[in-house]
Amino acid sequence: MADEHKTPRQLTLGDQFLIFGRSGWEQAAWNYPRLQNLGFCYVMIPAIKRLYPEKQDAAKAAERHLELFNTMPYMQSLITGVTLSLEEDHANGQDVSAADIRAVKVGMMGSLAGVADPVWWGTLRPILSAFAASLALSGFGIVGPLVFFIGWNVLRLTFRWVAQRWGYRQGLKVVTVLSSGVLQKLTLGASIVGMFVMGAIIPRWTRVKLAPIMATSSHGSLSLQSMLDQLLPGLVPLLLTLGCVWLLRRHVKPLWLLVGVFIIGLGGYWLGIFR
């Protein structure tokens, strides 16, 4: 035991990079009873081998990481980093128990999943996809999809590596930072940015042209569409979008919304309302 304390067990940079490489396979063995537990245990195996050379200790470490685990996949890297730090302290005999490791994992996985969805799926992905789609619509062809594919993967992989390293270096200090209210502020900021981006996208990608002519003179004709464009540009697409959102909140299925918009579009064109 004295020799173990003289030579602390510590993860190398190679171990951490190997763990980072495994993190992308976390959901490959997703299951209903314990969700992502098999993938998380697979991610932790290099650390378990390094920190617990005794077979019995390694088996106990693997067993506690086979318990239920579920979070947003990209935020799993931050939890992994903190867990690595705690496992390292536990292996070196510091005041960190197996129950502490479980509690930190459970406490972080729910809160991080809640903040990650609006940030990644509600803000970053729509912004990047809108920019890539604009490139494609502007005549840049394959550049648009390439920008999205390369940009998204660089963004998520960089974040995952930085988050894992930061979690490993900070350990339990990460919990203090996250409990200071930064998650709520980040969620609110992401929601505001996401709504702003979606609001800018609506008049660009949702096009509704009204056909009725209001008046005709020697100077030309005044249509309802031109009048609305002068007074409130993008009003009709906005009303259509808000109507769809209202129906979605009333639990109308998206499939029925698509069918309804398709029928309204065809019927309006046939009746001369749309053009």
Side-chain angles (χ1 to χ4, degrees), residues 96-236:
V96 176
S97 65
D100 294 333
I101 298 174
R102 294 189 187 97
V104 170
K105 283 176 57 182
V106 172
M108 291 183 67
M109 68 183 189
S111 58
L112 289 180
V115 72
D117 286 338
V119 172
W120 285 96
W121 306 133
T123 303
L124 296 178
R125 193 177 182 93
I127 290 175
L128 185 59
S129 60
F131 176 68
S134 298
L135 290 177
L137 292 173
S138 300
F140 288 91
I142 194 64
V143 174
L146 287 177
V147 166
F148 177 79
F149 178 79
I150 296 174
W152 181 256
N153 283 286
V154 168
L155 187 64
R156 71 178 182 88
L157 292 175
T158 301
F159 172 81
R160 297 191 73 156
W161 172 248
V162 172
Q164 179 182 307
R165 289 285 291 167
W166 182 63
Y168 172 73
R169 290 171 177 172
Q170 297 297 318
L172 282 177
K173 294 180 182 178
V174 172
V175 179
T176 304
V177 174
L178 297 179
S179 62
S180 63
V182 66
L183 291 180
Q184 291 81 355
K185 295 178 182 178
L186 184 60
T187 304
L188 178 60
S191 300
I192 293 173
V193 174
M195 288 188 290
F196 177 80
V197 172
M198 296 308 296
I201 288 175
I202 288 171
R204 180 177 178 84
W205 287 0
T206 307
R207 299 180 182 179
V208 181
K209 297 294 183 180
L210 300 176
I213 297 176
M214 303 296 294
T216 304
S217 65
S218 58
H219 298 287
S221 60
L222 177 62
S223 66
L224 179 59
Q225 183 64 52
S226 62
M227 185 177 66
L228 288 175
D229 289 341
Q230 293 176 11
L231 296 176
L232 294 170
L235 176 63
V236 178

